[in-house]
Amino acid sequence: YMNIANAYLNMFNFELADKNYLAAAKFYAETGDSLNVAIVYTNLAVSFDNREKLDSALYYYNKSFPIYTKLKDNDRYLGLWYTNVGDLYRKQNKYKEALEYQVKAEPLLIRADDQFTLMVLYSGIPYVYSRLGQHEKALEYAEKSVDLGLKLGSRRELSYSYMTLADVYKEKNDLKNEVKYLRRHIELSDSVFTEETGNAVTEIQSKYESEKKEKEIELLNKDKQLQAAEIEKHKSKQIVYIGLV
């Protein structure tokens, strides 16, 4: 149920994703697997978040929180939780609340060594600092996001980090640096798009070649069957002819 729900979520079929998440939560609860119950609630929150149903998203985030707090070694889960909820408040333009949660996420993610989520946090927190007029703090975290993106070699996320940095320089009225990092964002986005498109074309080509071969094999088999039938036909004629003789 969990895997099916995740697949539907990736296809943006939220209704079927929610249905399967709830089924998964029911079974996890019956088996006493509280961690996975919390993970299902988090995924449900993400599902509602993607539809901009922020109140429903917050409802499921809040259902998962008490479970995460009772776990041992829960830094990564709580760090991700604070990051997600902080971003949710940012979408509601509640910048003070957003910053309160985002600031709590950072030490947890550092302890958990969850560098990917940390980079996501660093990409989002500058926007909040900018809206609160704290441009230097916004710049500090945007640069952290870029540094971590370069370290991890994750081009898609790094392109977002460059966009974040460009936004910060825009708020600071620094046109030169805004254009500089906006150009880097565009170049990286284009390269990611080109690579993904190339992979998709390769996959389609491979599928086409595979189907083509299957068709050729199918035609060969049919040809063999026809030849076999023709041979049998000739055999039967020979038998009849021999019989007549």
Side-chain angles (χ1 to χ4, degrees), residues 159-178:
S159 74
Y160 296 148
S161 298
Y162 282 136
M163 185 67 198
T164 300
L165 199 50
D167 285 341
V168 171
Y169 280 116
K170 181 182 179 181
E171 291 292 325
K172 289 168 67 67
N173 295 314
D174 187 337
L175 182 61
K176 181 181 176 182
N177 279 313
E178 180 192 351

Side-chain angles (χ1 to χ4, degrees), residues 179-198:
V179 172
K180 174 184 174 182
Y181 289 106
L182 192 58
R183 183 175 285 120
R184 289 187 184 180
H185 161 71
I186 292 167
E187 288 171 353
L188 207 53
S189 295
D190 285 347
S191 71
V192 170
F193 175 77
T194 302
E195 182 183 348
E196 289 179 350
T197 304

Side-chain angles (χ1 to χ4, degrees), residues 12 22 24 34 48 61 63 76 85 94 97-98 122 128 138 151 177 192 198:
F12 306 107
L22 289 170
S34 59
F48 283 108
Y61 277 132
K63 279 177 75 72
R76 179 174 175 273
V85 174
K94 297 178 180 179
E97 291 89 340
Y122 289 160
V128 175
K151 179 184 174 183
N177 279 313
V192 170

